Amino acid sequence: MDNQAEVREFLSSRRAKITPEQAGLPSGSRRRVPGLRRSEVAALADVSVEYYAKLERGNLAGVSPAVLEALARALQLDDAERAHLLNLAQTADGSDALTRPRRRTAQWKAHRSLQWVLDAVTAGPAFVRNGRMDLVALNELARAFYDDVYAAAGNQANLARFQFLDPASRRFYPDWEQAADVAVAILRTEAGRNPHDKDLHDLVGELSTRSDDFRTRWGAHNVRHHGTGTKRFHHHAVGDLTLAFEGLEMAAVPGLTLTIYTAEPGSVSEEGLRLLASWAATQKIASPAAQGAD
């Protein structure tokens, strides 16, 4: 990624999102720009207008942590946006080369003990993904849960490709627009954290070329942490599911996230997951590989 362009577009897009009223400033009647003026951000961050203009042109190299924090406060950045700004500053300084692992997670294989952990989760889908949204390890229920993702070889077990390039995603995600926003925000966060990942560059280029929905969202420069919440799904075999999820960063392999989906006890969705487990067992028995083993 072009660091200066990323910084320029991120800062200008955050500035455009804040109204004068939100910043405690008079709105006036002759404003020519959405959000705050550069001079207003500079005043809120206690830096000169010239210095802030330099930052918004994409020059974050050598900026002190105190200035970055003041900038984050002035632009009212949330935790994910603040982390993204720090990642962009590290890249500008070249320090990301020292702090960011260069592991290529596309070829990463789950070690046996991790697969045992995943397989021990029997009541809900459990899986590991990387920052590019590749599914790299799953339990049996997660494989059945994401059956639509694996149904088309072109998806390459990648949730972002499925989201934007596979029509089946419109059925799988009843709240498709929200799911699309989340997917792009995850990829944008990864781009700030690991800007030299060629596989990520290739994925973003592919999706930008083939999907207007992706390209529009990518240009918004939104980032987010995606660690917990509730989502709605529609599985082709068992119907509607409302599931809670928890995402856990894997300390042993930076950049990978373990996610577990669960249903509320006694709910229709819990029964749906039991039906999904039965369906998965039936599919396994009926598969040609299983038949050939008999």
Side-chain angles (χ1 to χ4, degrees):
M1 305 293 174
D2 181 339
N3 179 258
Q4 286 199 344
E6 290 289 312
V7 172
R8 180 173 64 251
E9 293 167 15
F10 178 66
L11 290 180
S12 61
S13 67
R14 298 314 93 174
R15 176 167 60 85
K17 289 178 64 175
I18 304 174
T19 66
E21 291 82 4
Q22 289 172 323
L25 300 172
S27 59
S29 58
R30 301 180 61 184
R31 305 186 69 84
R32 298 181 179 180
V33 296
L36 298 180
R37 301 183 178 100
R38 289 190 181 92
S39 59
E40 292 168 332
V41 176
L44 291 169
D46 196 24
V47 298
S48 70
V49 177
E50 292 77 11
Y51 186 66
Y52 176 72
K54 173 187 173 184
L55 299 182
E56 197 173 287
R57 286 195 297 270
N59 300 311
L60 282 188
V63 177
S64 70
V67 169
L68 291 174
E69 184 57 34
L71 195 57
R73 286 196 303 270
L75 294 172
Q76 300 181 18
L77 303 186
D78 62 23
D79 289 344
E81 291 169 328
R82 180 180 278 101
H84 188 64
L85 178 63
L86 295 178
N87 285 331
L88 292 174
Q90 284 187 324
T91 300
D93 283 339
S95 56
D96 66 316
L98 300 176
T99 60
R100 303 301 178 196
R102 287 290 161 261
R103 187 186 302 272
R104 295 179 63 86
T105 54
Q107 289 79 37
W108 180 84
K109 300 294 183 181
H111 47 82
R112 291 191 303 162
S113 59
L114 174 58
Q115 191 61 55
W116 295 340
V117 170
L118 293 173
D119 292 340
V121 180
T122 58
F127 60 93
V128 175
R129 67 161 178 82
N130 59 27
R132 295 188 302 275
M133 301 189 73
D134 297 316
L135 296 170
V136 297
L138 307 89
N139 68 357
E140 186 174 297
L141 201 53
R143 176 60 181 80
F145 179 69
Y146 284 122
D147 189 60
D148 280 337
V149 178
Y150 286 92
N155 293 334
Q156 300 177 46
N158 181 273
L159 295 176
R161 279 195 186 90
F162 173 68
Q163 177 81 51
F164 291 100
L165 303 182
D166 193 330
S169 71
R170 300 276 179 171
R171 177 192 63 204
F172 185 70
Y173 297 111
D175 304 311
W176 190 91
E177 297 287 340
Q178 179 183 356
D181 291 343
V182 170
V184 176
I186 290 173
L187 293 181
R188 177 62 78 177
T189 300
E190 179 66 9
R193 184 166 50 220
N194 195 6
H196 310 298
D197 185 339
K198 183 180 183 302
D199 293 329
L200 178 60
H201 291 202
D202 293 345
L203 175 63
V204 169
E206 176 189 0
L207 297 180
S208 296
T209 300
R210 300 177 61 187
S211 170
D212 291 339
D213 288 308
F214 177 85
R215 185 166 56 252
T216 299
R217 287 173 168 82
W218 185 254
H221 285 262
N222 291 328
V223 295
R224 66 180 294 166
H225 291 154
H226 190 59
T228 186
T230 302
K231 293 183 181 180
R232 295 194 307 139
F233 303 94
H234 181 87
H235 191 277
H236 66 84
V238 301
D240 293 335
L241 297 167
T242 299
L243 303 177
F245 70 92
E246 294 291 335
L248 309 172
E249 295 293 327
M250 295 181 58
V253 189
L256 297 186
T257 302
L258 167 63
T259 300
I260 300 174
Y261 282 110
T262 57
E264 181 180 355
S267 67
V268 173
S269 293
E270 184 183 46
E271 177 60 25
L273 287 181
R274 283 196 287 266
L275 290 174
L276 182 62
S278 297
W279 180 81
T282 301
Q283 294 298 108
K284 187 175 182 180
I285 292 173
S287 70
Q291 292 175 357
D294 290 340

